[in-house]
Amino acid sequence: GKRRRGSVGGGGNTPDGSMISNSMQDMSDEDKKRSFANFTDSFGRQNSQSGNMSDAVGASPSTGDNGNVKFTNIGAMRILQGDADAIERARLILRSWAELFFILFVFYVCDRTNTFPERTKSYSRDFFIAIFVTLAAYGCYQTLRQSKTSAPLNREQTEEWKGWMQVLFLLYHYFKASEIYNAIRIFIAAYVWMTGFGNFSYYHVRKDFSVGRFSQMMWRLNFFVLFVCIALRNDYVLYYICPMHTLFTLFVYFSLLVFKEHNTSTNMIVAKMVILIVLVYVIWEVPGVFTVLFKPFEWLLSYTDPKKPDVNPMHEWFFRSGLDRYVWIYGMVCAFVHPKYEAFVRWVDEKPTKEKTVIQGLILTVNTIAAYWWYTTYYVLPKLEYNVVHPYTSWIPITIFIIFRNFSLTMRSYFIHIFCECGKITLETYISQFHIWLSSSVPNGQPGMLLGLLPEEYPVLNFMLCTAIYVGISQRIFMLTNDLKVACVPNANNRLLSLHAYFGVAWFIGMGIAGSALLMAI
């Protein structure tokens, strides 16, 4: 069966500039991919219609050797030099950057000015449940679709899983539904589990450890949050999901990269996982090791809550990363045994009806008993007590859910599309909620208030309006992130990728110096 894999950039023939639509909304997704890839593929190329969309680009007109491309000939530099042809070819790229900066401006206006009033959070269990049940019912009746494969944990299923968890996660923040805190901790653990599962599946199956693919993954996780941190003067760890997933992705990547030629050996994989468990134990549970290890990164990973200025700036990072320190390794384990699990469920499917019913009934009974035991033993614990046991027990509800969700062929063959769509933009909705749905007003502030676009007498209508705008903007951020990734992070030319990286660093340094000079002058 096919395992969950990352997306792969598209290719095709480069469209002529005169054929590009004046509006991105009027273009097909394939046309957009071609146009964005054209930005990195055909600057100065003698034959722009050659159909080579390899992301190996930027060669000067006098050379077709992309390995010898010069820094002054990359697209961004040619735009700065006023090259009319470069600007024309990069119209959609520049438009995407402009839209990104406009979104950041909207974030700033909503969260750093008094343009829109703040509203107080209020929790109604009845209203909270009604919103989710209504959305789920609509999804089941109107957007239930058949999966492309009946394999357990297929792509549509994991996207759906992320989607409904994200809806509850966001509603938890909006209404301050403190009573489901423990459930939210499990949801976050499930996201981290998927980091281990998805990345292990990709690298173990595809064996693609290329710098380009790795860079695109880092871009996906950190591109937008970087600009938000700069624009709103927030610390990176305020959006702790981003650094946490980045860290655990690095662990997975480098653990499989070392002795990668032996990754086909079960003994080698088991040894690597044991080493990872020991490493995690030493880092987070041996006193002093975490502090020493992350001391060089304190400039990046420190966080100070304005309401708690006396707390150790590295406490937030230690707490957040430590809660889910083991579950990503369990995700790797699940990815490794996934073929055997798939073979087992197919074996059950092929049994005669009576025998299959008995086996499935036994699975459900044992799983239900396990769920009841976990709920009464761990889930009902108070918040602080639960946090202590969470790193060691979060794998239990994750496993229980996976078994329930995949115990029959019918369950594996369908997914709720609306939740699948929500699952695709979890990162964007997570970051955006801080500034255009909730409100904090100050740098590094936790979003304790709500954004108010309508008078205070209309809290439900305000919720509906803000949500519609917020989800729409999050969807656009998702599209912009992927579009700009194609243009800025070529995945098949390390030379060009390094030049783009140099340009990015130089640009940020230059803007930093200019900004500092401007502030001093003012």
Side-chain angles (χ1 to χ4, degrees):
K2 294 182 180 179
R3 290 177 177 170
R4 183 173 180 267
R5 297 181 173 94
S7 60
V8 180
N13 292 329
T14 306
D16 185 86
S18 62
M19 298 300 293
I20 298 177
S21 169
N22 288 330
S23 171
M24 290 181 65
Q25 298 297 327
D26 296 333
M27 298 180 67
S28 68
D29 290 340
E30 188 62 28
D31 286 340
K32 289 181 185 178
K33 288 181 180 178
R34 291 173 180 171
S35 182
F36 281 111
N38 187 37
F39 174 74
T40 59
D41 187 63
S42 56
F43 279 128
R45 297 293 294 273
Q46 301 235 3
N47 183 7
S48 65
Q49 298 297 325
S50 64
N52 178 9
M53 305 308 295
S54 63
D55 295 326
V57 277
S60 66
S62 61
T63 178
D65 183 2
N66 293 312
N68 295 324
V69 59
K70 297 180 179 179
F71 183 72
T72 54
N73 284 341
I74 65 173
M77 286 299 296
R78 294 183 64 183
I79 290 172
L80 290 179
Q81 293 166 18
D83 187 314
D85 181 60
I87 294 173
E88 172 62 23
R89 291 182 182 276
R91 280 192 305 157
L92 297 182
I93 312 303
L94 297 174
R95 187 179 301 172
S96 293
W97 280 111
E99 186 176 353
L100 173 71
F101 290 131
F102 176 75
I103 289 173
L104 293 173
F105 174 73
V106 171
F107 278 25
Y108 186 88
V109 170
C110 291
D111 199 36
R112 290 290 189 272
T113 69
N114 296 321
T115 304
F116 303 106
E118 294 180 331
R119 301 284 182 248
T120 304
K121 294 182 179 181
S122 63
Y123 176 58
S124 166
R125 182 188 299 170
D126 180 57
F127 188 48
F128 181 96
I129 295 175
I131 293 173
F132 183 75
V133 170
T134 300
L135 183 62
Y138 170 80
C140 288
Y141 284 108
Q142 298 295 328
T143 71
L144 191 66
R145 299 183 183 178
Q146 189 165 4
S147 301
K148 297 176 182 177
T149 172
S150 61
L153 294 169
N154 57 68
R155 185 59 178 265
E156 292 92 349
Q157 186 184 123
T158 53
E159 294 289 8
E160 175 203 79
W161 186 5
K162 288 194 297 181
W164 66 257
M165 288 193 302
Q166 185 71 354
V167 170
L168 288 171
F169 179 67
L170 295 172
L171 292 176
Y172 161 81
H173 278 169
Y174 192 90
F175 294 107
K176 199 175 182 179
S178 302
E179 66 177 355
I180 64 166
Y181 171 84
N182 291 356
I184 299 303
R185 290 262 61 86
I186 296 163
F187 296 166
I188 296 173
Y191 291 133
V192 177
W193 176 91
M194 290 182 200
T195 293
F197 180 83
N199 281 291
F200 182 94
S201 295
Y202 182 88
Y203 293 119
H204 191 248
V205 174
R206 296 284 188 89
K207 300 177 177 59
D208 176 13
F209 296 91
S210 64
V211 175
R213 200 274 173 182
F214 175 77
S215 299
Q216 289 190 341
M217 175 62 73
M218 292 297 103
W219 176 283
R220 176 75 180 91
L221 287 172
N222 294 289
F223 166 72
F224 185 63
V225 73
L226 170 65
F227 282 93
V228 172
C229 287
I230 293 172
L232 298 174
R233 294 185 297 132
N234 286 334
D235 290 337
Y236 184 35
V237 174
L238 176 65
Y239 314 94
Y240 67 91
I241 293 294
C242 298
M244 185 170 66
H245 283 277
T246 299
L247 175 65
F248 297 142
T249 296
L250 291 173
F251 273 134
V252 177
Y253 177 82
F254 285 106
S255 66
L256 292 177
L257 178 64
V258 176
F259 300 119
K260 62 182 180 180
E261 62 275 11
H262 299 295
N263 284 342
T264 54
S265 167
T266 298
N267 290 337
M268 176 59 74
I269 294 298
V270 171
K272 287 185 176 185
M273 291 180 179
V274 170
I275 292 172
L276 287 173
I277 292 172
V278 173
L279 181 64
V280 167
Y281 176 85
V282 170
I283 293 174
W284 274 274
E285 303 198 32
V286 175
V289 175
F290 182 92
T291 301
V292 172
L293 182 65
F294 287 100
K295 183 68 175 178
F297 306 99
E298 189 169 346
W299 61 274
L300 177 66
L301 298 172
S302 63
Y303 168 76
T304 301
D305 188 336
K307 294 183 179 180
K308 303 174 183 178
D310 298 327
V311 175
N312 185 333
M314 291 297 286
H315 170 77
E316 185 76 3
W317 174 235
F318 175 77
F319 172 70
R320 296 295 186 181
S321 61
L323 280 172
D324 299 306
R325 57 187 180 268
Y326 290 111
V327 74
W328 59 275
I329 303 177
Y330 182 60
M332 295 175 66
V333 173
C334 291
F336 185 62
V337 302
H338 181 268
K340 292 182 172 58
Y341 176 53
E342 181 178 355
F344 171 76
V345 296
R346 293 193 184 282
W347 173 79
V348 173
D349 291 338
E350 294 168 359
K351 290 291 183 181
T353 303
K354 184 176 180 180
E355 190 175 346
K356 179 173 64 175
T357 302
V358 172
I359 295 174
Q360 290 178 340
L362 181 61
I363 292 173
L364 288 179
T365 300
V366 173
N367 210 39
T368 302
I369 293 173
Y372 178 78
W373 169 80
W374 166 80
Y375 178 85
T376 55
T377 305
Y378 296 113
Y379 182 79
V380 296
L381 292 175
K383 173 180 176 178
L384 297 181
E385 293 180 33
Y386 178 77
N387 283 344
V388 175
V389 301
H390 174 79
Y392 314 103
T393 62
S394 61
W395 65 273
I396 301 174
I398 292 173
T399 306
I400 290 170
F401 172 78
I402 291 172
I403 294 174
F404 274 132
R405 184 67 178 82
N406 294 279
F407 86 95
S408 75
L409 178 62
T410 302
M411 289 289 291
R412 298 193 306 275
S413 298
Y414 293 90
F415 68 98
I416 300 175
H417 181 68
I418 192 171
F419 285 141
C420 189
E421 289 299 308
C422 292
K424 293 176 182 178
I425 58 173
T426 51
L427 184 63
E428 290 72 25
T429 52
Y430 170 75
I431 297 172
S432 300
Q433 64 168 324
F434 285 78
H435 310 295
I436 54 172
W437 204 45
L438 311 176
S439 179
S440 60
S441 299
V442 295
N444 286 334
Q446 294 292 334
M449 304 293 285
L450 306 175
L451 179 66
L453 298 180
L454 295 177
E456 199 166 2
E457 309 88 72
Y458 304 100
V460 177
L461 291 178
N462 185 72
F463 165 76
M464 295 171 65
L465 177 61
C466 290
T467 300
I469 296 172
Y470 155 64
V471 173
I473 290 178
S474 297
Q475 178 67 24
R476 286 302 304 157
I477 296 169
F478 170 77
M479 296 175 68
L480 291 171
T481 299
N482 285 321
D483 288 342
L484 292 172
K485 177 185 70 177
V486 174
C488 301
V489 191
N491 64 1
N493 186 325
N494 292 344
R495 166 64 176 167
L496 184 64
L497 177 62
S498 64
L499 293 178
H500 281 198
Y502 295 151
F503 178 85
V505 172
W507 179 267
F508 275 109
I509 292 176
M511 291 297 99
I513 294 174
S516 300
L518 180 61
L519 289 175
M520 292 177 63
I522 295 176

